Amino acid sequence: MPESPIRKLVPFAEKAYKANKKVYHLNIGQPDIKSPKIALDAVSNNTLSILAYSRSEGSQEYRDKIAAYYKKNDILVKANDIIVTTGGSEALLFAMGTIADQGDEIIIPEPFYANYNGFAISSGVKIVPVISKIEDNFALPPISEFEKLITPKTKAILICNPGNPTGYLYSKEEIQKLAAIVIKHDLFLVADEVYREFTYDGLEHYSILQEESLAENGIIIDSVSKRYSMCGARIGCLVSKNKQVISTSLKFAQARLSPPTFAQIASEAALETPQSYFDEVIVEYKDRRNTLIKHLKEIPGVKVGVPKGAFYCIVELPIKNSDDFAQWLLEDFDLNGETIMVAPAAGFYSSPGVGLNQIRIAYVLKKEDLIRAVEILQMALKQYRD
Ligand SMILES: Cc1ncc(COP(=O)(O)O)c(C=O)c1O
């Protein structure tokens, strides 16, 4: 199993705290935005006398409401097309277990969410990367690149839309192109849409299940973690109109008994969150993105694309080894008692040796903190020697 590049430096961060350094956490997508009160209240005010298991696929009430949420987003699915999971993480594991046998292959545009590596290894699945580049702002590689990689073992293409770590947002046309190849080669298109609401510059998210042709071939991975800033609830879901996918995923769900009961109560209530909450949050993230990118671009030798969604960006630095740099930032560097924690980007690739001069930054901090964090990065780059 690979370590998570997002979490592996935690012991060094703890050392930094012990040395009384303030650490700005740019490494993890843990938003500082408050969870909706309505969700927290639903747990505080509940009168359960037994904290029982729920149904393996999640409670009927919650799945009915999730289906209504999707309808509002032009995704027409029913409660029976949904399996509630312990975070999007478990939905990814169920999806891989459901569609692939040991040794099967899944094509994923790279860089990708680092834990796909861990889920693939747990499921005995081989990731076949298709490279997207910072120079192209991580646009989808030409479809011919995907087709070249398809073998008899290929079971799916997995995309993250909007993308972590790139912030890339797939256009409707790109989704339609992907739909055409998965249908042509009888594959699944798995779309991790946990950041669906977070799109900027007036761009709209287009879900794979808005595409009617993908009814049999599409699987959505979803989560409440980022949508409602409820990462600790550990609730997500797997959605597919393919009955066989749902019945097989349900067997995985039965083996782990049920998703957490309190967290389903909170997540069900969170669905009542008014649109104004998202409007405010999106303005805030967009502002943070603009601030971060502007200040990063001012540092000599730094390259960064402009994320169109989610709240991450890949940043190329004038260094050779970002693993070493990230550890050095915590162990050996501070600017007036302050430093930053970043995620080295090599772990977001499966191709060896790629991304070594890149880091991923999550813009989940207040603007003032982001500005300070970039100042610290700039000073650190001046002092650091590879
Ligand atoms: C793209 C993506 N997918 C899935 C997850 C898993 O989230 P969770 O298990 O908290 O729902 C994350 C978490 O950061 C993510 O960024």
Side-chain angles (χ1 to χ4, degrees):
M1 280 293 284
E3 291 174 305
S4 158
I6 303 157
R7 290 178 175 251
K8 71 180 180 184
L9 294 168
V10 167
F12 299 102
E14 307 232 312
K15 257 169 96 178
Y17 307 142
K18 281 207 185 110
N20 285 325
K21 288 187 205 173
K22 173 168 179 181
V23 180
Y24 291 90
H25 283 270
L26 305 173
N27 59 308
I28 192 161
Q30 167 59 63
D32 62 348
I33 308 275
K34 287 214 165 78
S35 313
K37 188 168 178 303
I38 198 170
L40 301 174
D41 285 350
V43 174
S44 325
N45 300 337
N46 95 88
T47 52
L48 281 182
S49 55
I50 300 176
L51 194 51
Y53 289 126
S54 74
R55 285 168 60 173
S56 295
E57 60 269 53
S59 79
Q60 185 67 42
E61 300 74 22
Y62 180 37
R63 286 181 306 127
D64 283 338
K65 288 197 187 159
I66 304 177
Y69 156 83
Y70 282 126
K71 191 163 177 216
K72 273 201 272 175
N73 285 276
D74 299 323
I75 301 168
L76 302 180
V77 291
K78 303 205 165 64
N80 287 347
D81 304 325
I82 300 168
I83 293 188
V84 178
T85 54
T86 308
S89 304
E90 194 180 58
L92 282 156
L93 263 178
F94 286 3
M96 289 193 190
T98 295
I99 63 180
D101 286 320
Q102 297 276 320
D104 281 342
E105 296 170 1
I106 297 186
I107 300 173
I108 313 184
E110 187 177 78
F112 50 74
Y113 173 51
N115 286 328
Y116 293 166
N117 276 321
F119 301 137
I121 288 174
S122 309
S123 310
V125 165
K126 185 175 161 209
I127 292 182
V128 176
V130 54
I131 316 284
S132 70
K133 298 201 185 94
I134 197 164
E135 290 75 19
D136 307 329
N137 209 5
F138 299 106
L140 190 70
I143 293 298
S144 54
E145 294 296 308
F146 284 86
E147 286 208 292
K148 272 190 227 154
L149 299 172
I150 295 173
T151 74
K153 288 197 171 290
T154 309
K155 288 287 153 22
I157 295 173
L158 165 58
I159 58 168
C160 183
N161 186 30
N164 172 9
T166 60
Y168 191 72
L169 183 72
Y170 290 84
S171 66
K172 181 174 175 179
E173 290 67 35
E174 284 172 316
I175 297 292
Q176 286 173 335
K177 280 187 190 165
L178 287 169
I181 39 176
V182 296
I183 291 164
K184 177 172 163 198
H185 295 274
D186 194 19
L187 309 175
F188 289 101
L189 181 59
V190 183
D192 181 336
E193 299 186 356
V194 306
Y195 297 98
R196 178 179 302 110
E197 275 75 8
F198 304 100
T199 65
Y200 313 118
D201 307 326
L203 295 169
E204 276 193 22
H205 179 258
Y206 187 71
S207 169
I208 57 159
L209 288 188
Q210 278 172 269
E211 196 52 44
E212 276 176 30
S213 61
L214 283 172
E216 284 301 304
N217 302 60
I219 302 176
I220 292 181
I221 304 299
D222 218 334
S223 170
V224 304
S225 289
K226 318 290 162 155
R227 182 164 305 138
Y228 305 110
S229 194
M230 284 171 52
C231 296
R234 311 306 310 128
I235 290 287
C237 63
L238 177 151
V239 188
S240 180
K241 294 206 227 183
N242 180 316
K243 299 271 176 267
Q244 229 182 328
V245 165
I246 292 296
S247 67
T248 305
S249 295
L250 181 58
K251 294 180 199 166
F252 285 90
Q254 288 169 345
R256 63 78 164 106
L257 307 181
S258 78
T261 297
F262 265 148
Q264 282 183 84
I265 292 171
S267 302
E268 187 179 328
L271 286 166
E272 307 293 327
T273 306
Q275 183 56 36
S276 55
Y277 171 92
F278 293 107
D279 295 342
E280 277 169 35
V281 169
I282 284 155
V283 167
E284 177 64 29
Y285 277 125
K286 187 178 158 203
D287 230 21
R288 290 174 180 191
R289 177 200 67 168
N290 292 348
T291 305
L292 176 71
I293 302 295
K294 172 174 171 283
H295 286 82
L296 282 172
K297 283 189 168 166
E298 285 164 9
I299 308 180
V302 166
K303 239 191 242 173
V304 60
V306 180
K308 299 188 241 173
F311 35 71
Y312 306 93
C313 56
I314 289 280
V315 187
E316 200 161 290
L317 302 177
I319 57 168
K320 291 198 185 78
N321 184 330
S322 60
D323 269 286
D324 183 73
F325 178 62
Q327 186 173 331
W328 175 85
L329 280 168
L330 294 167
E331 271 195 309
D332 300 312
F333 177 79
D334 69 86
L335 182 63
N336 302 327
E338 297 183 331
T339 192
I340 54 174
M341 185 168 177
V342 296
F348 295 84
Y349 291 82
S350 65
S351 308
V354 183
L356 281 173
N357 61 345
Q358 298 176 346
I359 55 170
R360 184 196 73 168
I361 287 184
Y363 42 99
V364 289
L365 305 180
K366 288 196 287 293
K367 259 196 316 190
E368 309 80 84
D369 289 348
L370 286 173
I371 294 170
R372 177 69 181 147
V374 178
E375 264 169 31
I376 295 171
L377 175 66
Q378 181 159 18
M379 288 309 289
L381 285 168
K382 280 191 186 151
Q383 280 187 33
Y384 178 73
R385 294 285 163 266
D386 268 315

